[in-house]
Amino acid sequence: MARLEWSESYSVGVPRLDAQHKVLIRVINQLEEERRTGGLIVSVFAELRRYVREHFRDEEAMMQAAGYADLEAHIQGHRQFEEWLTSIEMVYNSGGASAYYIAESVHDFLKDWLITHILAKDMAYKETLIGHVPE
């Protein structure tokens, strides 16, 4: 599979959030590498957990400060992602599925999240945040 590369079309116009979205792309690429080489994905889970904690907190605070109208629905999407991450980590840690299958599932989910969440839901707040959030 081809490595994902950052594109300006992914930019939400807030440098801090764009930098965090670039971390997600790096994690997806790291996961693909671990999956391809049969490596451990535990480090990917740790990185993803850090990403979720920092990014969701920052994004939600910025949306709230800017008065984003669809904040609650956006937060709900974040909570669903956190629930998914907790569930998939539990399955991985229990040994209930092969590491390869888990890595493939996580990889596919994250690529879908990148497309559906960042390119759709995050773009919806772009105009609200631009000009309301300090660089």
Side-chain angles (χ1 to χ4, degrees), residues 24-44:
L24 181 59
I25 290 173
R26 184 174 48 78
V27 168
I28 292 170
N29 288 331
Q30 179 186 354
L31 183 59
E32 173 61 24
E33 180 64 19
E34 298 297 338
R35 185 175 70 119
R36 192 179 59 72
T37 63
L40 297 174
I41 63 171
V42 171
S43 62
V44 174

Side-chain angles (χ1 to χ4, degrees), residues 46-118:
E47 181 72 22
L48 202 50
R49 186 62 68 189
R50 279 190 297 277
Y51 166 80
V52 164
R53 186 173 43 251
E54 179 182 329
H55 177 65
F56 290 176
R57 179 197 64 220
D58 290 351
E59 190 176 70
E60 290 168 12
M62 289 178 193
M63 288 187 296
Q64 184 170 13
Y68 181 59
D70 205 23
L71 176 62
E72 288 307 315
H74 202 97
I75 289 173
Q76 183 61 33
H78 287 172
R79 296 308 161 262
Q80 289 170 348
F81 184 98
E82 290 169 331
E83 290 170 11
W84 165 82
L85 181 56
T86 298
S87 297
I88 201 76
E89 281 182 294
M90 286 174 34
V91 170
Y92 178 77
N93 291 331
S94 74
S98 76
Y100 181 85
Y101 173 75
I102 296 289
E104 186 173 29
S105 296
V106 172
H107 182 265
D108 292 346
F109 182 90
L110 292 177
K111 282 183 74 173
D112 184 62
W113 176 265
L114 178 71
I115 293 165
T116 61
H117 189 80
I118 295 175

Side-chain angles (χ1 to χ4, degrees), residues 7-21:
S7 165
E8 282 305 310
S9 67
Y10 302 160
S11 176
V12 295
V14 179
R16 181 175 181 90
L17 297 180
D18 285 346
Q20 291 170 348
H21 288 152

